[in-house]
Amino acid sequence: MATQPLIDRDTASKIITILDFVYSLGVEDCHYKQDEGLAREFLEKTSEQGRYGLLGKEIYFDWFEWELQLKRAARETKYPFSSIMQYFGRMGAWQSNWLSVLIPVSFDFYRKGISDRLNAPDGCEYAMFAERRRVWWSKHGIQKVSLQEYIDVIQQFCLDRRRMDIAEMERYEDKRENKYERIGEWDMRKRILNPRFYERYIKAIAILISKKDY
């Protein structure tokens, strides 16, 4: 039906499951690396729009490989793979619609995991943290995350990304010799999203997730 949402409540709940996974992966990678300098360097380098990576493997890549990492994570960790694949199927090509927002926001959750572990290295016992789901690492120990907290963080990451994307385009300078020349793979226009996509995601994530789904 034309009125059917692109993300139903069940899939929206599964999105939080994936965000929880990548957050935990960030904590895990930081924990096992045991290299504060390297972790902070990683956070600095990946603060650049369109740059992704994995601290555990010490590699950097673009949005496409990060998407593959999310799909692999959903499959290998027995997360709801079919719902996530359905989501990516609806998303289609990067930048084609507002569902693309999951790519940068999920990476922000990965970076948050690294940052939280760095800021409170002795905050928790890692073995206990690794056994839990939907929790954050903090200086006060393992923190259970409420539904509202998840929504707040997702929406804040959307606002932050929207602000950065707008700023990047304001600074953008097209260096092509003519407008018919192909845009390079690392051109900023291929690395950011339409600001309206973030606005729609902010509204969707709040409307579609209810306490029952969580």
Side-chain angles (χ1 to χ4, degrees):
M1 297 176 60
T3 57
Q4 183 178 350
L6 286 174
I7 308 177
D8 58 23
R9 294 180 187 274
D10 181 63
T11 302
S13 180
K14 303 305 187 293
I15 289 170
I16 285 189
T17 302
I18 287 294
L19 296 179
D20 172 64
F21 170 77
V22 293
Y23 173 84
S24 297
L25 181 60
V27 173
E28 176 185 337
D29 284 352
C30 188
H31 173 77
Y32 284 113
K33 273 298 176 183
Q34 292 292 320
D35 189 329
E36 180 179 349
L38 181 66
R40 295 197 182 281
E41 179 184 4
F42 178 88
L43 291 176
E44 181 178 356
K45 288 184 176 180
T46 55
S47 65
E48 176 185 345
Q49 291 295 80
R51 193 170 196 183
Y52 299 81
L54 283 173
L55 175 63
K57 296 182 179 179
E58 298 183 37
I59 56 174
Y60 299 92
F61 40 73
D62 63 9
W63 66 268
F64 179 74
E65 191 164 346
W66 179 248
E67 179 182 332
L68 293 179
Q69 294 291 336
L70 292 180
K71 292 176 180 178
R72 187 176 299 119
R75 181 175 62 251
E76 294 180 353
T77 59
K78 298 182 180 179
Y79 277 108
F81 183 66
S82 61
S83 292
I84 295 303
M85 292 307 296
Q86 183 184 50
Y87 179 99
F88 282 116
R90 290 173 175 173
M91 184 184 86
W94 165 249
Q95 296 180 319
S96 63
N97 60 60
W98 62 281
L99 298 179
S100 296
V101 169
L102 179 66
I103 302 298
V105 166
S106 62
F107 189 65
D108 288 336
F109 270 81
Y110 176 72
R111 296 179 76 252
K112 175 176 171 56
I114 296 172
S115 180
D116 285 355
R117 175 63 175 74
L118 279 176
N119 293 333
D122 301 318
C124 314
E125 288 289 337
Y126 179 74
M128 294 179 62
F129 173 85
E131 293 176 354
R132 303 283 296 277
R133 291 291 177 266
R134 298 188 176 183
V135 295
W136 286 342
W137 184 287
S138 78
K139 63 182 180 180
H140 303 297
I142 297 173
Q143 178 186 343
K144 179 66 176 175
V145 189
S146 70
L147 171 62
Q148 188 59 56
E149 285 174 310
Y150 266 113
I151 292 175
D152 290 345
V153 173
I154 292 169
Q155 291 178 333
Q156 186 59 55
F157 283 155
C158 284
L159 290 172
D160 293 342
R161 287 281 182 173
R162 178 181 179 276
R163 189 179 303 110
M164 289 188 290
D165 283 2
I166 291 174
E168 288 290 351
M169 287 312 299
E170 287 177 348
R171 293 191 294 266
Y172 177 77
E173 180 181 352
D174 191 348
K175 297 182 179 180
R176 295 178 298 168
E177 294 183 0
N178 64 76
K179 65 180 181 179
Y180 300 107
E181 184 179 339
R182 184 178 179 180
I183 299 175
E185 289 302 316
W186 283 94
D187 188 287
M188 186 54 66
R189 283 176 292 181
K190 286 194 173 184
R191 299 164 65 184
I192 66 175
L193 294 174
N194 185 324
R196 290 193 297 273
F197 289 175
Y198 293 107
E199 296 165 12
R200 182 140 187 216
Y201 213 86
I202 286 172
K203 295 176 182 178
I205 206 68
I207 292 172
L208 293 172
I209 301 177
S210 68
K211 191 170 184 179
K212 179 182 65 176
D213 298 308
Y214 183 67

